[in-house]
Amino acid sequence: MALKWQGWVVGLVSLAGLLVFAPLGLYVWASSPTGPAGPAAPPPEVRVTGCRVDPASRRVLAEVEARGGQGSYVATVEFRDRKPPQADARTSQTLVRLPGLAPDVPPARTEAVGPVWPPATPPWCGVAAVAREGESQR
């Protein structure tokens, strides 16, 4: 009688192990590279060329320019009330898309719209991060 229950226990433990470790194995298999990785394209040079407060809407507007790189990128533009970051500094971020960059084309330009800004406080605008579209930002 005891052998009959041991068979069931072994079967259930095997099934539980399969349910736990099969997704992990599939994840490792799917995330492994399929071939030799070629040299990565250098990231584009992204910079803020202008930072101002729109008088009508009181929102911060940053003109963003990108040159170089290959493909589409997403840049995080940061708005602060002081250039050096401090604990009490007001900060806000927005994302802008920079599609179709190539080394031999003119720079791509776009505008980042920030938050409503308080009067008599000059904003500082800068690029916080740049990532290839579809990847996480660094």
Side-chain angles (χ1 to χ4, degrees):
M1 194 77 155
L3 292 176
K4 188 175 186 181
W5 284 105
Q6 287 177 349
W8 277 100
V9 170
V10 169
L12 289 175
V13 168
S14 299
L15 180 63
L18 184 64
L19 290 174
V20 169
F21 291 109
L24 178 64
L26 286 174
Y27 173 75
V28 170
W29 174 73
S31 64
S32 65
T34 57
E45 176 190 341
V46 181
R47 63 190 181 108
V48 173
T49 58
C51 184
R52 65 184 174 86
V53 177
D54 180 50
S57 66
R58 299 290 311 148
R59 289 190 172 274
V60 182
L61 302 176
E63 288 88 30
V64 181
E65 178 183 275
R67 65 178 69 227
Q70 184 95 17
S72 297
Y73 289 84
V74 175
T76 303
V77 179
E78 186 174 48
F79 306 96
R80 290 186 269 177
D81 60 354
R82 294 186 192 111
K83 186 174 180 178
Q86 296 176 351
D88 63 340
R90 175 185 170 158
T91 62
S92 179
Q93 294 182 341
T94 189
L95 299 175
V96 291
R97 185 171 183 260
L98 306 161
L101 295 179
D104 55 347
V105 298
R109 291 183 174 86
T110 188
E111 190 172 63
V113 179
V116 174
W117 208 252
T121 305
W124 178 88
C125 306
V127 177
V130 178
R132 185 176 289 276
E133 195 167 45
E135 295 178 358
S136 63
Q137 294 214 348
R138 292 176 205 125

